[in-house]
Structures are given as C-alpha cells and as structure tokens.
Amino acid sequence: MPTTPAAVLFDMDGTLVETEQHWGTALAALARRLGGELSPPAREATVGTSMRSSMRVLHADLGLDREDHWQDDAAWVEDAVAGLLATDVHWRPGARELIAELRAAAVPTALVTTTPRRLADLVLAQVERAFPDVPPFDLTVCGDEVPARKPDPSPYLQAASALGVDPSCCVVVEDSAAGVTAGLAAGAAVLGVPSLQPLTPAPGLVLRDTLTGVGLAELAGVLAAREPAASCP
C-alpha cells in the first residue's frame, strides 16, 4: 500500500486559485504604461517567478534598460494586483475538494507561494471562508519570507522544516516550471498541474491536467512513483 505523504505543500497562484491571470493583467498594463506591449512568450516566462525575474523579462521584452527602476515597476505591479485580488477569488478545479480531504485525514498542509505576504493574505482571507471549521493550511510561506524564491528549493525546504517533516516524504503540488524545479530540488515528489505554462516531464514529476478527482490515494501514488523511492514511515 502506498505511503501517505508526510505533508502536502501547495503553490497558490494558478495551482489552487485562478489568480495567475491577475499578474498577467498587471504586467500587461505596466508594459503599456512604459510604451510597449508584453509579448505572449514573455508573459509565459514570468509565470511562477519572482518579481525581480519578471521585471527583467518584461524590460528585456520591451527593449528597455530600467535596472535602476525595477523596484518601482515591481511595486506598481503589486499594487495593481492587490486591487484585482480584492474581488472574488475562484478555485481551480478540484483544489478545494483535495484540501478538504487532506484536512479530514489530518495530513499536514502548507501553502508555499512566491507572492508577497500582503497580497497572499488577500487571497487567504477568501480561501479560508471555504473552511470555517479547520484552517486549510498548517503553515503559509510567502515570497518575502524566504532567503531565495522559486526555482530555488528554499521555500519548500523552509516549509518542510517548519512542519517537522522530511521533504523527501512530501508531495509538492505546482503549476509552473519554476515551482516544479523548486519542489524537485527540495527532494519532494511533485504533482504538476499546468495552467498557463507547459511543464516538461522529469523524474519525480507526475503530470495531471487538473486536480479534479485527485485525492489522498493519488498523492500517495505520486510519492510511490518516484525513483528511487524514499524511505518514509
């Protein structure tokens, strides 16, 4: 029988909730503000990355040298996204049901997002309304609370350490290439559910089109499918 994951570590934007498009809207608005149009390949390259990386991609796409102003541009985007997040947040298919099953089974969960805390809390306030009895996550780790952001493994290693679990016995659920890279580098098994960006098959990665129908048994299968299998209690 497959081993139950020691914890399940979730990305947020594009994985659990339909918020990734807000970042695209804000980035496109910034590009127009700077006198250009953000190309589709550049937008795809920003998915799941840090604001620093996103600003580099956007500026290069527009042919601009704004190295001295990237923080101002990033702050503008974050403010724009904050306004968009104040509206309703919609779940990705199957995400709410998966979290509910994990909470009922007392499996530890964490939210691990590149999004800064002030923006993540806007989403969390809406997500938590769906779980009035038990909080959806034991722990939340945001992009401004880690020494390095995805694709660095630090966010997932930090979450596993805080939960007191071995990352090699965890399943990470991600939608972006940067997030998948971070989860695999942390030693976890990864369930990839792409939204705006295609994911390349890799050892330790199981791909699904959607979280619909994914439950604890399927996550245990993701952990068991990894080669070589980790020795988990």
Side-chain angles (χ1 to χ4, degrees):
M1 180 177 179
T3 301
T4 298
V8 181
L9 314 177
F10 290 96
D11 173 55
M12 185 176 76
D13 298 303
T15 298
L16 293 181
V17 288
E18 298 278 8
T19 50
E20 188 61 58
Q21 72 272 19
H22 294 330
W23 290 97
T25 297
L27 288 167
L30 174 63
R32 289 191 293 272
R33 188 168 181 260
L34 296 177
E37 290 290 334
L38 185 66
S39 70
R43 167 56 186 137
E44 182 179 304
T46 68
V47 174
T49 65
S50 67
M51 284 302 300
R52 184 72 181 95
S53 295
S54 293
M55 290 304 96
R56 284 180 175 143
V57 170
L58 184 146
H59 293 154
D61 191 48
L62 300 180
L64 299 175
D65 181 4
R66 289 182 60 82
E67 185 65 21
D68 293 339
H69 300 284
W70 80 266
Q71 290 176 310
D72 294 333
D73 289 347
W76 191 94
V77 169
E78 288 186 5
D79 287 343
V81 171
L84 295 169
L85 291 176
T87 62
D88 288 339
V89 170
H90 300 286
W91 288 92
R92 293 277 292 161
R96 178 167 49 184
E97 294 79 6
L98 174 56
I99 293 174
E101 182 175 338
L102 295 174
R103 299 319 275 159
V107 175
T109 58
L111 183 74
V112 185
T113 177
T114 300
T115 299
R117 171 62 65 180
R118 77 180 183 100
L119 300 183
D121 279 347
L122 294 174
V123 178
L124 282 167
Q126 299 183 59
V127 166
E128 288 169 354
R129 293 188 195 121
F131 296 89
D133 300 321
V134 180
F137 307 109
D138 295 293
L139 173 75
T140 59
V141 176
C142 296
D144 49 356
E145 299 168 344
V146 292
R149 301 187 182 189
K150 305 172 188 175
D152 192 277
S154 297
Y156 283 116
L157 292 174
Q158 182 170 315
S161 176
L163 290 173
V165 296
D166 185 339
S168 68
C169 297
C170 296
V171 173
V172 162
V173 184
E174 272 282 358
D175 75 305
S176 72
V180 167
T181 299
L184 293 175
V190 179
L191 175 62
V193 187
S195 56
L196 298 180
Q197 185 182 65
L199 297 178
T200 302
L205 171 65
V206 173
L207 294 173
R208 290 283 297 260
D209 291 333
T210 173
L211 289 176
T212 300
V214 173
L216 183 54
E218 286 73 22
L219 294 182
V222 171
L223 192 63
R226 183 178 50 195
E227 294 291 343
S231 178
C232 300

